[in-house]
Amino acid sequence: MHFRKRGSNVLLDHINGPQDLKGLTTQELQQLAEEIRQFLIEKLSVTGGHLAPNLGVVELTLVLHYLFDSPKDKFIFDVGHQSYVHKILTGRMDRFDTLRKYKGLSGFVKRSESEHDVWEAGHSSTSLSAAMGMALARDLKGETNRVVAVIGDGALTGGMALEALNHIGDEKKNLIVVLNDNEMSIAPNVGALHHYLSKIRTDRHYQKAKDELQHFLNKIPAIGGKLAKTAERFKDSLKYLLVSGILFEQFGLTYLGPVDGHDMDQLLELMKQADSIEGPVLVHVITVKGKGYSPAEADSFKWHGATSYKIESGQMLKAVGPPMYTEVFGSTLIELAEKDERVVAITPAMPGGSGLLKFADRFPERMIDVGIAEQHAATLSAALAMEGLKPVYAVYSTFLQRAYDQVVHDICRQNANVVFAIDRAGFVGPDGETHHGVYDIAFLRHVPNLIIMMPKDENELRRMMKTALDYNDGPVAIRYPRINGLGVQMDEELLPLPIGKWETVREGDSAVILAIGPMLQLAHDTAELLKREGLNVRIINARFIKPLDEQLLLGLEEEGKPIVVLEEGSELGGFGSSVLEFYSLRGFYGVPVRIIGIPDEFIEHGSIKEQQTEVGLTADRVAAELKNMLPSRQKRASSQH
């Protein structure tokens, strides 16, 4: 791609809203597409973000806004990470320096940002259900607006999308489904539907033959009865013979395409045709993820979600430091799988994000990528366990929410030996509230048979993985954050941990902090602050969230010292709640316990540090809360230092 200097946006600088597109020629639209790509490449080189997905939908988004009338017409972007072009065209270009920053522009569709953002999502496969709901609402209100859903071929593998397709085809409402087919979700797609779409992509004869047959049938004057039925059966037979689009037509949608998603003329023609058809239409658009930026075209997986980078070389700028917890998980799983051939890895379309690419190279036959299908992955894992294997289900905390029923019904109820490797536990930074892993403790800990652990550092993560795979009496969950490790010394020989036993990592007689995961560092920072005031705080690594260390908790009750519980998770129903429940159920109503975690609200995008500060997970706040819990005599002594 030719890189122009900033300020050379001949057309883009004059686009303040979708109405400014209406008078452009096709040639000008194509020039505008190039300017938008240049703008995105430059801006994201500083902020980072979802570069490859957005470069792939430039022409498609332009055509939608050119032909239709947002916000009257509803555009629903599946996941929403490919909505940057939509944001540019709807008056938010001047805010791109704040993309994914604290109090800045969201990296996803955000209803509070613009009237043009009508549906929010950070998880896949929701767009078709939302589109159907909006089409039904439109008709019930007697309105005439269009509803357009843009969904990727990866998201189409999600069960919810197929459920929606079934309903859409049955109701026959007017709506347009744009299938943005780039052969990718984040990682390369898998599954039968992916292969079906691949077959369509290579079939160049179907649409021509279908159109010619329709033209021929239309010329037959006043055919009736048996002849008409015969002709229609012949037409259907040709569809089956030529394969293309038949699945969608059998669902009840009119299939149009495939079309080159970067050819403005073809796109405009096909979208106009789709708009003229009664009932639901599926427009199959072939795009190139990362289009226009050669590094992103060459490796769209790497450039799906990019950090800041150097434009000319494509070199991503990453902080140097210890490996991330995800990397430690991946390397340790290989190490354990070398010693136990029963170990298999399962992922719902996230082999790279979950640190499993090297595992897949080493054990291709023991690596199972099911596509975007978290529920299926969970039940599949249960069945693998019942057949004597050791399934490790690697999944982001935010995506495990989607498999809640299967976790309860198929895994825990049957006490299946499944290991959950729950990545991105806690705040995740720039992706914001759709991706935070702050609810899994609350929705997992009340389910019988399940053990839940969280490590204080990367070496303890390794030991927890050994513990989980040695355990033979039911499911085990290990949750870990989206941050770098601490750089601690790794044990050469992995030894399991005693189930349900916590460890005291700092002695003290003034008060007690129970902390999990990265909150151990916050506990140490707090203890250092209070030490200057003459207060010695005991810190306990509560590494087992379930079961609790009951013996230790009973000892703390006898001591009667104030207890602060730190967790980067929901205060409602979280780890701190389990401590309160423990004392309440045993009639110990006088134990002073204060929970400091994430309050009952959604925390938006920003850095993890900014998110922690917003909710009060800071040393100053924790120290102040703890001092307020001390008896008056200790408070006075502290204030004299």
Side-chain angles (χ1 to χ4, degrees):
M1 179 174 181
H2 174 65
F3 294 100
R4 297 184 307 276
K5 293 181 179 179
R6 294 187 184 190
S8 60
N9 293 326
V10 176
L11 294 171
L12 184 56
D13 288 342
H14 297 91
I15 303 297
N16 299 307
Q19 70 279 358
D20 295 326
L21 298 175
K22 304 303 183 183
L24 298 182
T25 65
T26 305
Q27 185 177 2
E28 287 172 327
L29 285 174
Q30 196 64 62
Q31 179 184 337
L32 181 57
E34 185 179 342
E35 292 181 16
I36 289 173
R37 283 198 169 88
Q38 174 64 23
F39 176 86
L40 287 172
I41 291 167
E42 289 184 358
K43 290 296 184 182
L44 270 61
S45 71
V46 178
T47 64
H50 290 97
L51 181 65
N54 285 283
L55 292 179
V57 297
V58 177
E59 289 86 359
L60 173 58
T61 311
L62 275 169
V63 165
L64 291 178
H65 277 289
Y66 180 74
L67 290 179
F68 304 137
D69 297 306
S70 175
K72 178 185 176 184
D73 295 330
K74 312 299 182 185
F75 299 157
I76 303 165
F77 296 93
D78 205 277
V79 183
H81 62 289
Q82 80 288 49
S83 63
Y84 295 4
V85 185
H86 166 75
K87 289 174 186 266
I88 291 169
L89 298 176
T90 53
R92 286 169 274 180
M93 186 172 72
D94 60 347
R95 296 187 62 198
F96 263 75
D97 288 331
T98 72
L99 182 69
R100 290 158 49 91
K101 294 181 180 179
Y102 191 63
K103 303 298 182 183
L105 200 64
S106 172
F108 298 89
V109 174
K110 191 77 174 171
R111 295 175 70 226
S112 60
E113 279 184 10
S114 171
E115 63 179 348
H116 297 278
D117 291 7
V118 300
W119 179 259
E120 293 184 14
H123 295 177
S124 79
S125 312
T126 68
S127 61
L128 301 188
S129 296
M132 185 58 184
M134 290 188 183
L136 284 167
R138 173 200 62 204
D139 293 352
L140 287 169
K141 293 187 293 182
E143 297 174 349
T144 58
N145 61 282
R146 305 170 181 91
V147 177
V148 182
V150 180
I151 184 169
D153 50 321
L156 201 61
T157 67
M160 186 175 174
L162 297 176
E163 291 172 21
L165 270 181
N166 185 54
H167 188 206
I168 288 169
D170 184 59
E171 289 281 349
K172 304 294 184 186
K173 296 294 182 185
N174 286 345
L175 65 86
I176 297 173
V177 176
V178 178
L179 173 56
N180 174 35
D181 182 0
N182 55 30
E183 303 187 65
M184 296 282 287
S185 48
I186 296 176
N189 289 328
V190 298
L193 189 57
H194 161 66
H195 295 300
Y196 173 73
L197 292 175
S198 296
K199 192 168 186 180
I200 294 178
R201 288 183 211 108
T202 60
D203 182 356
R204 301 303 177 193
H205 306 292
Y206 167 70
Q207 192 63 51
K208 181 180 178 183
K210 179 182 171 185
D211 291 344
E212 288 177 352
L213 178 61
Q214 184 66 55
H215 180 69
F216 169 74
L217 291 175
N218 288 339
K219 281 190 170 183
I220 302 175
I223 62 173
K226 293 181 179 179
L227 181 57
K229 292 179 181 178
T230 301
E232 193 59 39
R233 282 199 300 271
F234 174 64
K235 182 181 171 185
D236 286 342
S237 298
L238 184 64
K239 286 183 188 178
Y240 282 108
L241 179 65
L242 294 168
V243 174
S244 185
I246 190 62
L247 172 65
F248 303 111
E249 299 226 353
Q250 289 303 303
F251 263 110
L253 289 81
T254 299
Y255 173 87
L256 299 177
V259 64
D260 181 352
H262 305 296
D263 186 315
M264 199 70 75
D265 289 313
Q266 287 189 34
L267 261 181
L268 283 166
E269 181 183 347
L270 203 64
M271 290 305 299
K272 288 177 183 176
Q273 184 181 352
D275 190 38
S276 69
I277 294 173
E278 283 293 314
V281 182
L282 185 136
V283 182
H284 188 180
V285 180
I286 309 296
T287 60
V288 176
K289 202 171 182 181
K291 175 72 173 178
Y293 185 52
S294 53
E297 285 191 39
D299 189 350
S300 58
F301 163 71
K302 175 182 175 182
W303 289 88
H304 174 83
T307 60
S308 55
Y309 54 90
K310 295 180 179 178
I311 295 176
E312 296 298 337
S313 66
Q315 177 188 354
M316 288 195 187
L317 306 176
K318 293 187 177 181
V320 177
M324 296 188 74
Y325 279 88
T326 303
E327 296 174 64
V328 175
F329 160 74
S331 61
T332 305
L333 189 62
I334 292 174
E335 182 181 335
L336 294 169
E338 295 276 8
K339 299 174 182 177
D340 189 343
E341 63 184 13
R342 297 173 299 167
V343 174
V344 293
I346 299 94
T347 177
M350 299 297 291
S354 294
L356 291 172
L357 292 179
K358 291 181 179 178
F359 183 93
D361 288 340
R362 176 64 185 85
F363 303 107
E365 73 286 356
R366 291 156 67 181
M367 173 71 194
I368 305 169
D369 184 349
V370 301
I372 300 177
E374 293 87 357
Q375 296 169 289
H376 168 57
T379 300
L380 173 77
S381 297
L384 288 168
M386 291 174 185
E387 290 300 308
L389 298 181
K390 286 280 187 178
V392 178
Y393 180 13
V395 61
Y396 292 6
S397 170
T398 185
F399 297 144
L400 183 59
Q401 296 164 189
R402 314 188 85 187
Y404 176 74
D405 178 64
Q406 288 68 31
V407 171
V408 175
H409 186 269
D410 299 332
I411 294 176
C412 293
R413 187 184 59 83
Q414 300 189 93
N415 206 30
N417 265 116
V418 175
V419 175
F420 296 98
I422 305 176
D423 203 337
R424 273 66 168 174
F427 285 130
V428 296
D431 281 341
E433 67 266 43
T434 59
H435 282 64
H436 290 320
V438 299
Y439 304 113
D440 58 276
I441 295 175
F443 72 70
L444 288 177
R445 72 173 185 82
H446 62 265
V447 185
N449 295 333
L450 182 62
I451 292 172
I452 308 172
M453 300 182 274
M454 188 170 195
K456 70 177 187 293
D457 57 43
E458 60 268 44
N459 185 59
E460 192 164 66
L461 170 61
R462 287 167 49 78
R463 292 191 65 188
M464 285 183 174
M465 291 176 65
K466 170 68 172 171
T467 304
L469 286 169
D470 281 359
Y471 187 72
N472 294 309
D473 294 324
V476 178
I478 310 169
R479 61 192 311 270
Y480 44 94
R482 186 194 187 186
I483 59 174
N484 293 92
L486 302 179
V488 300
Q489 182 71 34
M490 299 290 197
D491 292 343
E492 291 187 14
E493 181 185 1
L494 284 181
L495 298 174
L497 297 168
I499 301 291
K501 293 300 178 184
W502 297 346
E503 65 168 349
T504 300
V505 295
R506 180 171 178 149
E507 294 292 348
D509 56 10
S510 299
V512 178
I513 297 179
L514 303 179
I516 55 174
M519 294 295 96
L520 263 295
Q521 185 58 53
L522 175 57
H524 282 295
D525 293 343
T526 302
E528 286 300 310
L529 275 182
L530 293 172
K531 184 178 180 181
R532 299 171 200 165
E533 302 184 30
L535 298 173
N536 295 313
V537 176
R538 187 185 316 167
I539 299 175
I540 294 172
N541 173 24
R543 54 197 178 187
F544 283 91
I545 297 167
K546 183 183 180 183
L548 302 175
D549 190 331
E550 297 189 1
Q551 184 177 357
L552 193 151
L553 285 173
L554 290 171
L556 293 180
E557 187 275 332
E558 290 180 3
E559 292 182 36
K561 295 184 178 7
I563 300 171
V564 170
V565 181
L566 298 182
E567 57 183 317
E568 198 175 81
S570 171
E571 290 177 342
L572 302 184
F575 170 61
S577 292
S578 69
V579 174
L580 288 172
E581 290 161 12
F582 174 84
Y583 287 129
S584 177
L585 290 170
R586 287 158 181 77
F588 299 137
Y589 304 123
V591 183
V593 177
R594 175 73 172 90
I595 303 170
I596 303 179
I598 298 173
D600 188 23
E601 59 188 82
F602 292 107
I603 308 302
E604 296 189 353
H605 53 282
S607 70
I608 292 176
K609 184 74 172 175
E610 288 167 331
Q611 288 159 347
Q612 291 172 340
T613 300
E614 181 175 330
V615 301
L617 285 169
T618 65
D620 287 340
R621 189 276 178 101
V622 176
E625 292 282 356
L626 198 150
K627 283 194 294 183
N628 285 335
M629 298 174 68
L630 295 172
S632 300
R633 178 170 49 82
Q634 282 183 282
K635 288 182 184 178
R636 287 195 299 271
S638 168
S639 64
Q640 292 171 3
H641 276 75

